[in-house]
Each structure stands twice: as C-alpha cells, then as structure tokens.
Amino acid sequence: MAKKKHKKTLVEQILDKADIAHIGMEINALEGEKPDNVLEDDIYKTLALIGNNTGPVIGIIPITQHLSYKKLATASGNKKVAMIPLKDLQKTTGYIHGANNPVGIWQTKKFPIFIDTIAQDKEFMIVSAGEVGKSIQINPQELANFVNAEFADLIE
C-alpha cells in the first residue's frame, strides 16, 4: 500500500517558495498529541493579543510556559496588552484557535511578532503550520528573519 502523501499547508508552500528549510509534522498540541521524539519544550504557541498603542501583536512562547502580558507590552511599545477575544480571532489574524502561525500572519497582516528569547538557543522550534493538527519544525533565527520578528523575554 502506498504511503499517504503529506498535503502541504499554505504556510509550508510559502516557506518552500522562500527556500526556507522546515519539516512538516502532524502534531495537535491542543489535544496533547505529539511524536515520541518531540519534547513539549520544543513546541511553541502563537498567541494573538491587542496592544493599546500598536493594535494586534503576536507573542510566541513554549506551550509549557505562560506569557507575561507586561513583558510583551513593554517589548512591543504598549502600556498594556490583552488576548484577542476568541470571537474576534479569525477575523483579526485569519486563523482559528490552534492554527495561528507567524508565517501566515506576517504574510497577510504584517503584525509585530515577538519570540521568547529561550528559542534563540535552540536548533529548532515547532510552530503551527496554519491548520489544527499540522505543524512545522523550523530554525528559530530563520523564522525570525523571515517574519521580521524580534526576540524578547516574554515568559512569566
């Protein structure tokens, strides 16, 4: 029986076109599903917030950590930030809960993106590929360069 072909997400197609190395993966972090060889600390969540000065802002942190709103506000030039309400998420970012990803958001919205500094020391990080259950493994610095992200201390 032939192996089922991996259907690439739009995010993977964008990265392919830009010649950025990545690996497509089937991970549903919302359900706690991950391959045995993947550590939870390697999986990152893409959080969409709204700042009082900048409007939407994106924070990327390990799924095992909690975002410091105060630190993200400071890094992004806001006095305060708050999570975008779930009912407004898709119309703001273009993605549903669990599918937000820095590549797609940057390509379509150009929102400021901040990645926690802990990722700088890693060989790779895993972020959503734009669909629930689909992720990409990518070098943090290459991702940051591609989406114009800044590294900042974002964890509580």
Side-chain angles (χ1 to χ4, degrees), residues 65-132:
Q65 301 294 327
H66 293 285
L67 176 69
S68 167
Y69 287 22
K70 189 175 221 154
K71 288 179 180 180
L72 180 59
T74 301
S76 63
N78 287 287
K79 209 169 218 137
K80 63 181 183 175
V81 295
M83 293 297 289
I84 292 174
L86 202 51
K87 67 180 179 56
D88 298 331
L89 187 63
Q90 190 169 8
K91 81 174 178 219
T92 305
T93 66
Y95 294 92
I96 61 169
H97 176 67
N100 275 308
N101 68 89
V103 173
I105 291 171
W106 179 254
Q107 290 290 306
T108 58
K109 307 292 185 178
K110 301 291 192 256
F111 295 152
I113 298 173
F114 296 87
I115 302 171
D116 188 77
T117 53
I118 200 167
Q120 282 182 298
D121 299 329
K122 294 189 171 275
E123 191 178 316
F124 68 87
M125 64 192 299
I126 297 169
V127 295
S128 172
E131 295 176 16
V132 174

Side-chain angles (χ1 to χ4, degrees), residues 46-63:
T46 303
L47 303 170
L49 296 93
I50 192 115
N52 66 308
N53 292 327
T54 62
V57 60
I58 306 301
I60 302 172
I61 63 169
I63 63 168

